[in-house]
Amino acid sequence: MANSTKEILTARMTVAQIDAIRPGLTRRMVSDELVHNLYLKIEPGGAKSWLYDAARLRGQGEGRIKLKLGTWPAMGLADARDSARDRNDERDRGDDPRTLQAEREAEAKRAQADTVRAVFAEWVMHKKLAKEGLKSLAEYERLVGKNVLPLYGDTPISSFTKAEVREAIKVMQRRGSASSANRLLVLMKQFLSWCSREDYVEHNVAADLVTTREEGEGSRELSIAELATLWRASDQLIEDERDSIRLLILTGARKMEALGAASAEYRNGLWMIPGDRVKNKDPHVLPLGALGKPIFEARAKRKHLFAESIYPSMMPDLAANALAAMECLTEEFVEHWTLHSIRKGVRTALSSDEMDEMGEVFSENIAEIVLNHSLGALNRKYNKSRYKRQIGRALAAWERLLSQEIAKQTGGNVIQIAG
């Protein structure tokens, strides 16, 4: 029973003094002279720990407020003093430090339980119960299971950082998987956005990360059906992103030409791209139809149509955001594509069977001229035609074919004109 008594000492503690204190036959309590209500407890067996032991203030009830703060030397003297000061402040405000400590411990326990692995499993289950994107879930689980969970699966989701998301992406890039890295980043943005909405995290740490540079000529082309789906899905984007995507779809222009478009380049339904903004330095005139004109006319007071918001810093994310919008619209996995995929898709559509079935047939030369591809040095030397009427016919036919495909997908609904 001797161990149930206490021997209380008072000292202005130092680290050297703490190390020098030897256990006695009974429990020893050393009160710190510097911080009130802080004690070092020394058990007869030699274990040392920090205690907070304070009287309740008037109106806080009877008895004393006692808390274990930590063990020595895991909790050092400075940390113990800081903790005791915080508990004194809580008591002085009228709060019960024990209640607040229990809440902190519960939150810490919850954080340890809510690991990236566990919360990702919750997200997958949510998608299944909501029947959202079911065809894509296997791909999502594969990407995250292979590239994120082995690195950070046991990390509390509340501690998951932007740097860790970026590192997982970079690991894939270093393996030469740039396309898959882009897919993973889009997926992590979706997942962490849900985590933010469900209060697992305060904010989406991946929100401002951008995808890797586009693969350019090696990218695939979007089919006519995919271009129609992309048009519909672009309604989910901010206005400038929506209309820049739609200008690319309508004209097949190069991304640098479309995203850098200036108001001065538009007049009377014609988009006149100057030679200094064209890859082959050859000025290009594109007659616009009912869907293209409002994109320029709605921005008549701007010097640049899109430069202020998305060109060029956000260009990599434009395709990623649009791809995510397509998946949200269709609830299906969409194979990765780049902005160049739109241009390749338009070129393919101009020579497609669908165009032929609609009664429109264009020569290979006209299809190439629509995209402002060079037809060779000899042709440039002798042929000075700008083909404005032929380009206008081809783009009008493409707009009609696109509209028909959109109407097919929406059950006959007329597509909305921008602006």
Side-chain angles (χ1 to χ4, degrees):
M1 296 296 292
N3 289 350
S4 64
T5 63
K6 292 189 298 184
E7 177 186 356
I8 300 180
L9 308 174
T10 301
R12 185 181 292 273
M13 286 185 281
T14 66
V15 172
Q17 289 173 339
I18 294 172
D19 285 334
I21 296 175
R22 296 291 178 263
L25 295 177
T26 62
R27 178 186 301 156
R28 308 181 75 182
M29 300 281 284
V30 180
S31 173
D32 184 28
E33 288 185 348
L34 187 62
V35 178
H36 295 308
N37 303 320
L38 174 63
Y39 293 86
L40 178 70
K41 180 176 70 173
I42 305 97
E43 298 287 357
K48 299 174 183 178
S49 58
W50 297 105
L51 290 183
Y52 178 79
D53 188 344
R56 294 176 185 267
L57 298 181
R58 180 176 298 178
Q60 292 181 333
E62 299 179 354
R64 299 184 66 80
I65 300 171
K66 297 183 180 182
L67 281 173
K68 180 178 179 179
L69 302 180
T71 60
W72 170 269
M75 174 179 275
L77 176 58
D79 289 339
R81 282 172 170 164
D82 286 343
S83 181
R85 289 190 185 99
D86 290 342
R87 304 297 80 75
N88 283 333
D89 290 343
E90 292 166 355
R91 184 191 67 146
D92 294 344
R93 292 197 304 265
D95 296 323
D96 189 333
R98 293 172 300 182
T99 301
L100 298 180
Q101 176 111 329
E103 291 175 354
R104 285 190 294 271
E105 290 174 351
E107 179 60 27
K109 185 176 181 181
R110 178 180 180 273
Q112 289 299 321
D114 290 339
T115 61
V116 173
R117 188 188 315 278
V119 178
F120 182 73
E122 285 288 326
W123 180 69
V124 170
M125 182 58 65
H126 160 76
K127 301 284 280 185
K128 289 180 179 178
L129 292 175
K131 297 183 179 179
E132 296 177 355
L134 297 180
K135 294 183 180 180
S136 304
L137 279 181
E139 173 68 6
Y140 293 165
E141 290 181 279
R142 184 191 69 79
L143 278 173
V144 174
K146 181 179 179 181
N147 300 287
V148 178
L149 300 187
L151 295 172
Y152 307 112
D154 296 328
T155 300
I157 191 70
S158 59
S159 303
F160 195 38
T161 66
K162 179 195 295 186
E164 289 169 335
V165 177
R166 186 186 291 115
E167 180 57 26
I169 302 301
K170 285 185 176 179
V171 168
M172 295 188 71
Q173 293 171 354
R174 288 192 288 267
R175 292 203 306 262
S177 304
S179 176
S180 294
N182 286 340
R183 297 285 294 115
L184 178 62
L185 179 53
V186 171
L187 169 57
M188 292 306 295
K189 287 184 176 185
Q190 294 177 12
F191 166 56
L192 291 169
S193 177
W194 176 83
C195 289
S196 176
R197 294 195 301 272
E198 295 297 316
D199 295 326
Y200 284 105
V201 297
E202 290 187 5
H203 65 282
N204 180 354
V205 297
D208 60 354
L209 292 178
V210 298
T211 53
T212 58
R213 66 178 180 84
E214 299 184 26
E215 295 80 43
E217 297 297 329
S219 62
R220 71 183 183 90
E221 78 279 359
L222 291 179
S223 68
I224 295 171
E226 286 179 310
L227 288 169
T229 300
L230 175 57
W231 180 285
R232 295 167 54 218
S234 66
D235 278 329
Q236 302 176 30
L237 305 176
I238 62 173
E239 183 177 307
D240 280 355
E241 287 186 335
R242 178 199 70 195
D243 286 352
S244 61
I245 285 287
R246 290 182 173 180
L247 186 60
L248 288 168
I249 293 174
L250 291 171
T251 65
R254 295 178 178 91
K255 56 181 180 285
M256 299 295 284
E257 296 166 356
L259 300 186
S263 299
E265 297 170 0
Y266 176 77
R267 186 165 58 251
N268 299 326
L270 300 178
W271 177 22
M272 296 167 283
I273 311 174
D276 60 3
R277 285 210 318 107
V278 177
K279 183 177 180 180
N280 61 11
K281 306 303 179 184
D282 193 11
H284 195 40
V285 179
L286 293 172
L288 300 177
L291 299 179
K293 292 176 183 178
I295 294 176
F296 279 85
E297 292 167 357
R299 294 166 174 77
K301 295 182 180 180
R302 293 190 189 181
K303 180 177 180 181
H304 298 285
L305 265 66
F306 311 117
E308 292 84 354
S309 60
I310 65 172
Y311 172 81
S313 61
M314 287 180 64
M315 190 188 301
D317 259 1
L318 179 58
N321 292 344
L323 186 149
M326 289 177 71
E327 291 193 329
C328 182
L329 177 67
T330 63
E331 297 187 353
E332 294 182 355
F333 171 77
V334 176
E335 182 185 349
H336 177 74
W337 54 267
T338 70
L339 294 179
H340 191 73
S341 301
I342 300 175
R343 180 172 168 84
K344 294 174 73 172
V346 173
R347 172 60 185 86
T348 303
L350 290 174
S351 302
S352 66
D353 290 341
E354 290 88 344
M355 188 70 76
D356 184 47
E357 290 170 1
M358 202 173 64
E360 298 283 0
V361 179
F362 302 100
S363 69
E364 289 297 298
N365 277 1
I366 293 301
E368 292 297 318
I369 289 168
V370 169
L371 271 62
N372 202 21
H373 283 157
S374 176
L375 298 182
L378 188 62
N379 191 300
R380 287 198 305 273
K381 183 175 181 179
Y382 289 98
N383 186 355
K384 302 302 181 180
S385 174
R386 300 260 58 103
Y387 293 97
K388 185 174 72 173
R389 180 172 295 181
Q390 293 92 325
I391 293 173
R393 280 189 55 241
L395 290 180
W398 163 232
E399 184 175 303
R400 192 161 68 254
L401 177 58
L402 175 69
S403 298
Q404 289 178 5
E405 179 61 31
I406 293 172
K408 185 191 304 182
Q409 292 183 9
T410 58
N413 294 333
V414 177
I415 64 176
Q416 296 296 314
I417 295 176

